[in-house]
Amino acid sequence: MPMRSYPLAMTVNGTRLTREIPGELLLVQFLREQLRLTGTHVGCDTTQCGACTVHVNGRAVKSCTTLAMSCDGAEVTTIEGIAHGGELHPMQDAFRRNHGLQCGYCTPGFVMAAIDMVRRLGLELDEATIREELEGNICRCTGYVNIVKAISDGAKVMAGSSADAASYPTGTP
Ligand code: FES
Ligand code: FES
């Protein structure tokens, strides 16, 4: 039986778009397969690893178990949408400077979760808080030490940065 399609309106990385999509299409499939925003990764498909984390209306969401249609009318931000004019977001740069990645597969999800963490909990994050908040993100490479350092560092840089976690640039999905 052919899948039924529905009209979807969404703002992705600052660009408003409309599409007809199957009701059962997952947000991660919509972003990766229809918009070709492949920075959002799939690691588990079961809401455990966090590789698929994006922001929906400013909150971190695991896109592998979110229906795209449930985000109708929403503002969605992916890892492709957080750099400003060729400059990395302070949290991205903190991961780079602190060697918070090896293979990098998990990194987009960690960065998006970290920005959400700063937005909710503030710019001074202690190690225990960061580790607890990262419960939903799994890295298979680094053992987390440098990821925790990167998030602490990134939060401090965000304190003095104009690249506020709440403001995103306009991009072209
Ligand atoms: S792919 Fe979504 S949580 Fe692992
Ligand atoms: S850096 Fe390889 S999975 Fe995290």
PDB file of all heavy atoms in Angstrom, residues 17-47:
ATOM      1  N   LEU A  17      11.061  25.913   5.080  1.00  0.00           N
ATOM      2  CA  LEU A  17      10.817  25.030   3.948  1.00  0.00           C
ATOM      3  C   LEU A  17       9.495  24.308   4.129  1.00  0.00           C
ATOM      4  O   LEU A  17       8.967  24.182   5.236  1.00  0.00           O
ATOM      5  CB  LEU A  17      11.962  24.027   3.792  1.00  0.00           C
ATOM      6  CG  LEU A  17      12.332  23.186   5.010  1.00  0.00           C
ATOM      7  CD1 LEU A  17      11.500  21.922   5.061  1.00  0.00           C
ATOM      8  CD2 LEU A  17      13.811  22.834   4.968  1.00  0.00           C
ATOM      9  N   THR A  18       8.963  23.855   3.005  1.00  0.00           N
ATOM     10  CA  THR A  18       7.755  23.033   3.038  1.00  0.00           C
ATOM     11  C   THR A  18       8.010  21.792   2.191  1.00  0.00           C
ATOM     12  O   THR A  18       8.701  21.855   1.167  1.00  0.00           O
ATOM     13  CB  THR A  18       6.530  23.787   2.485  1.00  0.00           C
ATOM     14  OG1 THR A  18       6.824  24.242   1.164  1.00  0.00           O
ATOM     15  CG2 THR A  18       6.175  24.976   3.360  1.00  0.00           C
ATOM     16  N   ARG A  19       7.451  20.674   2.621  1.00  0.00           N
ATOM     17  CA  ARG A  19       7.600  19.413   1.905  1.00  0.00           C
ATOM     18  C   ARG A  19       6.334  18.576   2.103  1.00  0.00           C
ATOM     19  O   ARG A  19       5.573  18.810   3.038  1.00  0.00           O
ATOM     20  CB  ARG A  19       8.791  18.608   2.451  1.00  0.00           C
ATOM     21  CG  ARG A  19      10.157  19.206   2.263  1.00  0.00           C
ATOM     22  CD  ARG A  19      10.661  19.037   0.829  1.00  0.00           C
ATOM     23  NE  ARG A  19      12.074  19.341   0.708  1.00  0.00           N
ATOM     24  CZ  ARG A  19      12.611  20.559   0.717  1.00  0.00           C
ATOM     25  NH1 ARG A  19      11.841  21.608   0.867  1.00  0.00           N
ATOM     26  NH2 ARG A  19      13.915  20.737   0.592  1.00  0.00           N
ATOM     27  N   GLU A  20       6.159  17.582   1.238  1.00  0.00           N
ATOM     28  CA  GLU A  20       5.157  16.535   1.461  1.00  0.00           C
ATOM     29  C   GLU A  20       5.927  15.311   1.920  1.00  0.00           C
ATOM     30  O   GLU A  20       6.813  14.835   1.203  1.00  0.00           O
ATOM     31  CB  GLU A  20       4.416  16.209   0.164  1.00  0.00           C
ATOM     32  CG  GLU A  20       3.507  17.304  -0.351  1.00  0.00           C
ATOM     33  CD  GLU A  20       2.119  17.246   0.275  1.00  0.00           C
ATOM     34  OE1 GLU A  20       1.666  16.135   0.621  1.00  0.00           O
ATOM     35  OE2 GLU A  20       1.506  18.321   0.435  1.00  0.00           O
ATOM     36  N   ILE A  21       5.617  14.807   3.099  1.00  0.00           N
ATOM     37  CA  ILE A  21       6.401  13.662   3.598  1.00  0.00           C
ATOM     38  C   ILE A  21       5.485  12.571   4.148  1.00  0.00           C
ATOM     39  O   ILE A  21       4.374  12.854   4.617  1.00  0.00           O
ATOM     40  CB  ILE A  21       7.395  14.083   4.704  1.00  0.00           C
ATOM     41  CG1 ILE A  21       6.645  14.602   5.946  1.00  0.00           C
ATOM     42  CG2 ILE A  21       8.410  15.099   4.195  1.00  0.00           C
ATOM     43  CD1 ILE A  21       7.489  14.609   7.190  1.00  0.00           C
ATOM     44  N   PRO A  22       5.943  11.322   4.123  1.00  0.00           N
ATOM     45  CA  PRO A  22       5.176  10.246   4.749  1.00  0.00           C
ATOM     46  C   PRO A  22       5.050  10.481   6.247  1.00  0.00           C
ATOM     47  O   PRO A  22       6.005  10.943   6.892  1.00  0.00           O
ATOM     48  CB  PRO A  22       6.022   8.990   4.479  1.00  0.00           C
ATOM     49  CG  PRO A  22       6.950   9.367   3.376  1.00  0.00           C
ATOM     50  CD  PRO A  22       7.176  10.851   3.500  1.00  0.00           C
ATOM     51  N   GLY A  23       3.902  10.160   6.793  1.00  0.00           N
ATOM     52  CA  GLY A  23       3.668  10.402   8.215  1.00  0.00           C
ATOM     53  C   GLY A  23       4.630   9.654   9.104  1.00  0.00           C
ATOM     54  O   GLY A  23       4.910  10.072  10.222  1.00  0.00           O
ATOM     55  N   GLU A  24       5.149   8.519   8.630  1.00  0.00           N
ATOM     56  CA  GLU A  24       6.030   7.716   9.482  1.00  0.00           C
ATOM     57  C   GLU A  24       7.512   8.071   9.328  1.00  0.00           C
ATOM     58  O   GLU A  24       8.368   7.411   9.925  1.00  0.00           O
ATOM     59  CB  GLU A  24       5.848   6.225   9.217  1.00  0.00           C
ATOM     60  CG  GLU A  24       6.023   5.809   7.784  1.00  0.00           C
ATOM     61  CD  GLU A  24       4.713   5.841   7.010  1.00  0.00           C
ATOM     62  OE1 GLU A  24       4.099   6.929   6.941  1.00  0.00           O
ATOM     63  OE2 GLU A  24       4.322   4.805   6.473  1.00  0.00           O
ATOM     64  N   LEU A  25       7.826   9.112   8.518  1.00  0.00           N
ATOM     65  CA  LEU A  25       9.227   9.486   8.319  1.00  0.00           C
ATOM     66  C   LEU A  25       9.807  10.052   9.619  1.00  0.00           C
ATOM     67  O   LEU A  25       9.229  10.950  10.238  1.00  0.00           O
ATOM     68  CB  LEU A  25       9.336  10.531   7.206  1.00  0.00           C
ATOM     69  CG  LEU A  25      10.743  10.791   6.674  1.00  0.00           C
ATOM     70  CD1 LEU A  25      11.263   9.591   5.891  1.00  0.00           C
ATOM     71  CD2 LEU A  25      10.748  12.045   5.796  1.00  0.00           C
ATOM     72  N   LEU A  26      10.969   9.529  10.000  1.00  0.00           N
ATOM     73  CA  LEU A  26      11.630  10.023  11.208  1.00  0.00           C
ATOM     74  C   LEU A  26      12.361  11.336  10.909  1.00  0.00           C
ATOM     75  O   LEU A  26      12.798  11.576   9.771  1.00  0.00           O
ATOM     76  CB  LEU A  26      12.627   8.988  11.723  1.00  0.00           C
ATOM     77  CG  LEU A  26      11.991   7.685  12.207  1.00  0.00           C
ATOM     78  CD1 LEU A  26      13.061   6.606  12.404  1.00  0.00           C
ATOM     79  CD2 LEU A  26      11.230   7.921  13.515  1.00  0.00           C
ATOM     80  N   LEU A  27      12.526  12.135  11.951  1.00  0.00           N
ATOM     81  CA  LEU A  27      13.209  13.418  11.760  1.00  0.00           C
ATOM     82  C   LEU A  27      14.618  13.207  11.224  1.00  0.00           C
ATOM     83  O   LEU A  27      15.072  13.929  10.338  1.00  0.00           O
ATOM     84  CB  LEU A  27      13.228  14.195  13.087  1.00  0.00           C
ATOM     85  CG  LEU A  27      13.897  15.563  13.047  1.00  0.00           C
ATOM     86  CD1 LEU A  27      13.232  16.493  12.034  1.00  0.00           C
ATOM     87  CD2 LEU A  27      13.876  16.196  14.448  1.00  0.00           C
ATOM     88  N   VAL A  28      15.325  12.213  11.733  1.00  0.00           N
ATOM     89  CA  VAL A  28      16.698  11.985  11.253  1.00  0.00           C
ATOM     90  C   VAL A  28      16.707  11.592   9.783  1.00  0.00           C
ATOM     91  O   VAL A  28      17.601  11.996   9.029  1.00  0.00           O
ATOM     92  CB  VAL A  28      17.440  10.940  12.130  1.00  0.00           C
ATOM     93  CG1 VAL A  28      16.894   9.527  11.940  1.00  0.00           C
ATOM     94  CG2 VAL A  28      18.931  10.995  11.857  1.00  0.00           C
ATOM     95  N   GLN A  29      15.716  10.830   9.340  1.00  0.00           N
ATOM     96  CA  GLN A  29      15.632  10.473   7.919  1.00  0.00           C
ATOM     97  C   GLN A  29      15.337  11.707   7.079  1.00  0.00           C
ATOM     98  O   GLN A  29      15.904  11.886   5.998  1.00  0.00           O
ATOM     99  CB  GLN A  29      14.527   9.432   7.705  1.00  0.00           C
ATOM    100  CG  GLN A  29      14.813   8.098   8.359  1.00  0.00           C
ATOM    101  CD  GLN A  29      13.594   7.181   8.277  1.00  0.00           C
ATOM    102  OE1 GLN A  29      12.463   7.614   8.509  1.00  0.00           O
ATOM    103  NE2 GLN A  29      13.835   5.927   7.938  1.00  0.00           N
ATOM    104  N   PHE A  30      14.432  12.538   7.572  1.00  0.00           N
ATOM    105  CA  PHE A  30      14.102  13.760   6.843  1.00  0.00           C
ATOM    106  C   PHE A  30      15.347  14.636   6.674  1.00  0.00           C
ATOM    107  O   PHE A  30      15.651  15.119   5.576  1.00  0.00           O
ATOM    108  CB  PHE A  30      12.995  14.509   7.582  1.00  0.00           C
ATOM    109  CG  PHE A  30      12.582  15.786   6.910  1.00  0.00           C
ATOM    110  CD1 PHE A  30      11.984  15.776   5.663  1.00  0.00           C
ATOM    111  CD2 PHE A  30      12.795  17.009   7.524  1.00  0.00           C
ATOM    112  CE1 PHE A  30      11.603  16.951   5.026  1.00  0.00           C
ATOM    113  CE2 PHE A  30      12.420  18.188   6.907  1.00  0.00           C
ATOM    114  CZ  PHE A  30      11.822  18.161   5.650  1.00  0.00           C
ATOM    115  N   LEU A  31      16.090  14.814   7.759  1.00  0.00           N
ATOM    116  CA  LEU A  31      17.269  15.685   7.710  1.00  0.00           C
ATOM    117  C   LEU A  31      18.367  15.102   6.824  1.00  0.00           C
ATOM    118  O   LEU A  31      18.937  15.793   5.982  1.00  0.00           O
ATOM    119  CB  LEU A  31      17.809  15.908   9.131  1.00  0.00           C
ATOM    120  CG  LEU A  31      16.887  16.670  10.085  1.00  0.00           C
ATOM    121  CD1 LEU A  31      17.431  16.610  11.508  1.00  0.00           C
ATOM    122  CD2 LEU A  31      16.706  18.114   9.630  1.00  0.00           C
ATOM    123  N   ARG A  32      18.638  13.829   7.007  1.00  0.00           N
ATOM    124  CA  ARG A  32      19.752  13.213   6.277  1.00  0.00           C
ATOM    125  C   ARG A  32      19.410  12.892   4.826  1.00  0.00           C
ATOM    126  O   ARG A  32      20.186  13.164   3.917  1.00  0.00           O
ATOM    127  CB  ARG A  32      20.202  11.922   6.988  1.00  0.00           C
ATOM    128  CG  ARG A  32      20.980  12.157   8.289  1.00  0.00           C
ATOM    129  CD  ARG A  32      21.365  10.820   8.910  1.00  0.00           C
ATOM    130  NE  ARG A  32      22.115  10.005   7.980  1.00  0.00           N
ATOM    131  CZ  ARG A  32      23.433  10.099   7.788  1.00  0.00           C
ATOM    132  NH1 ARG A  32      24.143  10.956   8.502  1.00  0.00           N
ATOM    133  NH2 ARG A  32      24.038   9.325   6.919  1.00  0.00           N
ATOM    134  N   GLU A  33      18.237  12.282   4.632  1.00  0.00           N
ATOM    135  CA  GLU A  33      17.938  11.722   3.303  1.00  0.00           C
ATOM    136  C   GLU A  33      17.226  12.721   2.391  1.00  0.00           C
ATOM    137  O   GLU A  33      17.424  12.689   1.183  1.00  0.00           O
ATOM    138  CB  GLU A  33      17.108  10.448   3.470  1.00  0.00           C
ATOM    139  CG  GLU A  33      17.886   9.361   4.198  1.00  0.00           C
ATOM    140  CD  GLU A  33      17.026   8.211   4.677  1.00  0.00           C
ATOM    141  OE1 GLU A  33      15.899   8.052   4.169  1.00  0.00           O
ATOM    142  OE2 GLU A  33      17.482   7.489   5.587  1.00  0.00           O
ATOM    143  N   GLN A  34      16.420  13.594   2.958  1.00  0.00           N
ATOM    144  CA  GLN A  34      15.725  14.556   2.101  1.00  0.00           C
ATOM    145  C   GLN A  34      16.469  15.882   2.017  1.00  0.00           C
ATOM    146  O   GLN A  34      16.521  16.505   0.968  1.00  0.00           O
ATOM    147  CB  GLN A  34      14.292  14.758   2.592  1.00  0.00           C
ATOM    148  CG  GLN A  34      13.477  13.470   2.517  1.00  0.00           C
ATOM    149  CD  GLN A  34      12.013  13.723   2.250  1.00  0.00           C
ATOM    150  OE1 GLN A  34      11.585  14.835   2.005  1.00  0.00           O
ATOM    151  NE2 GLN A  34      11.223  12.665   2.302  1.00  0.00           N
ATOM    152  N   LEU A  35      17.036  16.352   3.140  1.00  0.00           N
ATOM    153  CA  LEU A  35      17.741  17.639   3.118  1.00  0.00           C
ATOM    154  C   LEU A  35      19.249  17.478   2.950  1.00  0.00           C
ATOM    155  O   LEU A  35      19.964  18.468   2.789  1.00  0.00           O
ATOM    156  CB  LEU A  35      17.451  18.423   4.409  1.00  0.00           C
ATOM    157  CG  LEU A  35      15.975  18.689   4.724  1.00  0.00           C
ATOM    158  CD1 LEU A  35      15.844  19.577   5.956  1.00  0.00           C
ATOM    159  CD2 LEU A  35      15.242  19.304   3.545  1.00  0.00           C
ATOM    160  N   ARG A  36      19.732  16.243   3.015  1.00  0.00           N
ATOM    161  CA  ARG A  36      21.172  15.952   2.868  1.00  0.00           C
ATOM    162  C   ARG A  36      22.017  16.618   3.946  1.00  0.00           C
ATOM    163  O   ARG A  36      23.172  16.985   3.709  1.00  0.00           O
ATOM    164  CB  ARG A  36      21.682  16.356   1.476  1.00  0.00           C
ATOM    165  CG  ARG A  36      20.981  15.613   0.358  1.00  0.00           C
ATOM    166  CD  ARG A  36      21.354  14.161   0.350  1.00  0.00           C
ATOM    167  NE  ARG A  36      20.583  13.383  -0.610  1.00  0.00           N
ATOM    168  CZ  ARG A  36      20.443  12.055  -0.555  1.00  0.00           C
ATOM    169  NH1 ARG A  36      21.009  11.371   0.416  1.00  0.00           N
ATOM    170  NH2 ARG A  36      19.746  11.417  -1.447  1.00  0.00           N
ATOM    171  N   LEU A  37      21.426  16.815   5.097  1.00  0.00           N
ATOM    172  CA  LEU A  37      22.172  17.332   6.249  1.00  0.00           C
ATOM    173  C   LEU A  37      22.724  16.123   7.005  1.00  0.00           C
ATOM    174  O   LEU A  37      22.161  15.666   8.007  1.00  0.00           O
ATOM    175  CB  LEU A  37      21.263  18.195   7.129  1.00  0.00           C
ATOM    176  CG  LEU A  37      20.803  19.503   6.474  1.00  0.00           C
ATOM    177  CD1 LEU A  37      19.716  20.173   7.295  1.00  0.00           C
ATOM    178  CD2 LEU A  37      21.983  20.453   6.275  1.00  0.00           C
ATOM    179  N   THR A  38      23.841  15.603   6.519  1.00  0.00           N
ATOM    180  CA  THR A  38      24.328  14.318   7.005  1.00  0.00           C
ATOM    181  C   THR A  38      25.253  14.426   8.214  1.00  0.00           C
ATOM    182  O   THR A  38      25.833  13.429   8.641  1.00  0.00           O
ATOM    183  CB  THR A  38      25.051  13.572   5.873  1.00  0.00           C
ATOM    184  OG1 THR A  38      26.055  14.446   5.326  1.00  0.00           O
ATOM    185  CG2 THR A  38      24.076  13.171   4.766  1.00  0.00           C
ATOM    186  N   GLY A  39      25.361  15.620   8.784  1.00  0.00           N
ATOM    187  CA  GLY A  39      26.128  15.754  10.026  1.00  0.00           C
ATOM    188  C   GLY A  39      25.421  15.116  11.202  1.00  0.00           C
ATOM    189  O   GLY A  39      26.049  14.764  12.208  1.00  0.00           O
ATOM    190  N   THR A  40      24.122  14.968  11.122  1.00  0.00           N
ATOM    191  CA  THR A  40      23.362  14.276  12.166  1.00  0.00           C
ATOM    192  C   THR A  40      23.470  12.779  11.893  1.00  0.00           C
ATOM    193  O   THR A  40      23.097  12.314  10.820  1.00  0.00           O
ATOM    194  CB  THR A  40      21.883  14.724  12.126  1.00  0.00           C
ATOM    195  OG1 THR A  40      21.834  16.137  12.340  1.00  0.00           O
ATOM    196  CG2 THR A  40      21.074  14.029  13.204  1.00  0.00           C
ATOM    197  N   HIS A  41      24.003  12.044  12.871  1.00  0.00           N
ATOM    198  CA  HIS A  41      24.330  10.633  12.634  1.00  0.00           C
ATOM    199  C   HIS A  41      23.334   9.687  13.303  1.00  0.00           C
ATOM    200  O   HIS A  41      22.629  10.072  14.229  1.00  0.00           O
ATOM    201  CB  HIS A  41      25.736  10.341  13.168  1.00  0.00           C
ATOM    202  CG  HIS A  41      26.810  11.057  12.411  1.00  0.00           C
ATOM    203  ND1 HIS A  41      28.060  11.277  12.910  1.00  0.00           N
ATOM    204  CD2 HIS A  41      26.784  11.619  11.164  1.00  0.00           C
ATOM    205  CE1 HIS A  41      28.785  11.943  12.013  1.00  0.00           C
ATOM    206  NE2 HIS A  41      28.029  12.164  10.955  1.00  0.00           N
ATOM    207  N   VAL A  42      23.344   8.459  12.825  1.00  0.00           N
ATOM    208  CA  VAL A  42      22.565   7.391  13.451  1.00  0.00           C
ATOM    209  C   VAL A  42      23.549   6.369  14.017  1.00  0.00           C
ATOM    210  O   VAL A  42      24.342   5.793  13.272  1.00  0.00           O
ATOM    211  CB  VAL A  42      21.627   6.705  12.443  1.00  0.00           C
ATOM    212  CG1 VAL A  42      20.867   5.558  13.121  1.00  0.00           C
ATOM    213  CG2 VAL A  42      20.652   7.714  11.857  1.00  0.00           C
ATOM    214  N   GLY A  43      23.493   6.188  15.338  1.00  0.00           N
ATOM    215  CA  GLY A  43      24.395   5.228  15.956  1.00  0.00           C
ATOM    216  C   GLY A  43      23.692   3.995  16.474  1.00  0.00           C
ATOM    217  O   GLY A  43      24.265   2.913  16.527  1.00  0.00           O
ATOM    218  N   CYS A  44      22.452   4.143  16.889  1.00  0.00           N
ATOM    219  CA  CYS A  44      21.779   3.010  17.529  1.00  0.00           C
ATOM    220  C   CYS A  44      20.341   2.814  17.056  1.00  0.00           C
ATOM    221  O   CYS A  44      19.846   1.710  17.073  1.00  0.00           O
ATOM    222  CB  CYS A  44      21.783   3.193  19.051  1.00  0.00           C
ATOM    223  SG  CYS A  44      20.743   4.569  19.607  1.00  0.00           S
ATOM    224  N   ASP A  45      19.671   3.898  16.694  1.00  0.00           N
ATOM    225  CA  ASP A  45      18.266   3.809  16.264  1.00  0.00           C
ATOM    226  C   ASP A  45      17.299   3.549  17.403  1.00  0.00           C
ATOM    227  O   ASP A  45      16.115   3.308  17.167  1.00  0.00           O
ATOM    228  CB  ASP A  45      18.075   2.676  15.242  1.00  0.00           C
ATOM    229  CG  ASP A  45      17.874   3.207  13.846  1.00  0.00           C
ATOM    230  OD1 ASP A  45      17.472   4.368  13.722  1.00  0.00           O
ATOM    231  OD2 ASP A  45      18.111   2.441  12.892  1.00  0.00           O
ATOM    232  N   THR A  46      17.782   3.546  18.631  1.00  0.00           N
ATOM    233  CA  THR A  46      16.924   3.183  19.766  1.00  0.00           C
ATOM    234  C   THR A  46      17.005   4.193  20.909  1.00  0.00           C
ATOM    235  O   THR A  46      16.769   3.849  22.070  1.00  0.00           O
ATOM    236  CB  THR A  46      17.294   1.779  20.293  1.00  0.00           C
ATOM    237  OG1 THR A  46      18.715   1.725  20.492  1.00  0.00           O
ATOM    238  CG2 THR A  46      16.877   0.693  19.310  1.00  0.00           C
ATOM    239  N   THR A  47      17.371   5.415  20.613  1.00  0.00           N
ATOM    240  CA  THR A  47      17.385   6.509  21.591  1.00  0.00           C
ATOM    241  C   THR A  47      18.398   6.315  22.715  1.00  0.00           C
ATOM    242  O   THR A  47      18.206   6.802  23.820  1.00  0.00           O
ATOM    243  CB  THR A  47      15.980   6.721  22.209  1.00  0.00           C
ATOM    244  OG1 THR A  47      14.996   6.415  21.251  1.00  0.00           O
ATOM    245  CG2 THR A  47      15.779   8.159  22.636  1.00  0.00           C
TER     246      THR A  47
END
